[in-house]
Amino acid sequence: MKFSKNVLMPLVTAASLLVAAPVAVAETFKMAVGDAAGGTQWELGTTFAKLFQQKTGGKHKVDLFPNGQLGSEEDTINNAAMGTLDFSILAVNNITPFSPTVGLLTMPYLIQSADEAKKLTLGEVGKELTDNTVRDAGVRIVGWAYSGFRVLTNSKRPVKTLEDLKGLVIRVPKNEIMISAYQAWGINPTPMSWSETFTGLQQRVVDGQDNPYITVSAMKFYEVQKYITNIRYIFSLEPLVVSESVFKSQKPEVQKAILEAGQEATEHSFKYLLETEDKIKKDLAARGMQITDPANGEKEWIAKATTAVWPKFYKSIGGKEKLDRAQKVLGR
């Protein structure tokens, strides 16, 4: 059978258009969550996933993998940087080894309230740190979980003074600033990955640890810890990061959806903290945990940590001027 040119050309053109026509393909992204379901990380992640799916008209969704199922929090940064993981929510101190200037947010006693945490993360300081993580770590911060102050828990005795702290074996993340804070308080803490912490407390390899009330509850630390001390040396921030290579590979409308969902989930996280923290404190007390405040308004803790730790890390956070700028933003 023969075709004339006039018949053949429209057929070829139509076939070419069919091949070239873009096809909307649904995509499911993976999100690693360091904590167990039920904490602020989970709340941020599930809120983001819902918003992101809505903003993409249901074409894209996010599956969450809590409790370190996809590796340690440090591992997820490496995997995201390589593009083998899409999203991760983790403690900010676990990004610091990859992007040292983010350590500004873990300088002891810099942040003194939830409002101050929000002001730093959502302002020019937070924007600069986000740019730095893209440059240094290959991940982009698109949202923040606000988890509250990291309170000290232990299984042995009430701790009100630095003298009470002596002799306790305290787990800390593998973060030099946090390690230095405890050293300034007179003890050598034990760096331990997050995935090993509950077992370490359960088997009495370590006596205690520090984390926000919400995390203490979500991780069921009340099963292996008895005492809480309301120290306020670090306000726990837990960023939601996306692999920069994954982000850049998305169409502009998907990038926009990621950023908008992250902003809205961040606002939700802040409200969630304010609404739930007091309830969780009461629940932990009802479960038998004894809650005490540091003696003398925590003055000795503050003096030793700021005097010893701040100057030691000026260089890694980008210079003393970065800390001065943050304090100025906070009105100090």
Side-chain angles (χ1 to χ4, degrees), residues 95 102 126 129-130 133-134 139-144 239-242 259:
I95 291 184
V102 179
L129 295 177
T130 295
T133 60
V134 173
V139 297
R140 177 183 295 265
I141 298 171
V142 296
W144 295 90
L240 163 59
V241 301
V242 61
L259 296 176

Side-chain angles (χ1 to χ4, degrees), residues 109 160-163 184-185 295-306:
Y109 299 104
K160 294 186 176 182
T161 68
L162 295 184
E163 189 65 29
W185 293 332
N296 197 26
E298 207 171 338
K299 289 179 181 177
E300 186 181 12
W301 303 66
I302 294 169
K304 287 187 178 293
T306 55

Side-chain angles (χ1 to χ4, degrees), residues 90-164:
L90 68 164
V92 71
N93 46 271
N94 287 325
I95 291 184
T96 304
F98 304 92
S99 187
T101 59
V102 179
L104 171 70
L105 299 175
T106 58
M107 291 293 263
Y109 299 104
L110 169 63
I111 297 173
Q112 297 177 12
S113 70
D115 286 331
E116 289 190 353
K118 188 177 181 183
K119 183 176 284 190
L120 285 184
T121 52
L122 300 188
E124 287 302 311
V125 171
K127 183 180 183 303
E128 181 178 301
L129 295 177
T130 295
D131 292 342
N132 291 351
T133 60
V134 173
R135 179 196 67 203
D136 300 336
V139 297
R140 177 183 295 265
I141 298 171
V142 296
W144 295 90
Y146 301 99
S147 300
F149 288 102
R150 296 182 72 109
V151 296
L152 175 67
T153 72
N154 83 91
S155 58
K156 287 197 169 179
R157 57 177 177 264
V159 173
K160 294 186 176 182
T161 68
L162 295 184
E163 189 65 29
D164 296 332

Side-chain angles (χ1 to χ4, degrees), residues 5 32 47-48 67 72 93 136 144 153 159 223 237 247 273:
K5 287 184 179 179
T47 302
F48 173 86
N67 216 16
S72 70
N93 46 271
D136 300 336
W144 295 90
T153 72
V159 173
E223 295 180 354
L237 294 161
F247 182 78
L273 171 66

Side-chain angles (χ1 to χ4, degrees), residues 57 74 81 88 114 125 148 179 205 247 255 289 318:
E74 297 92 335
S88 178
V125 171
I179 292 169
V205 175
F247 182 78
Q255 292 183 359
M289 297 197 80

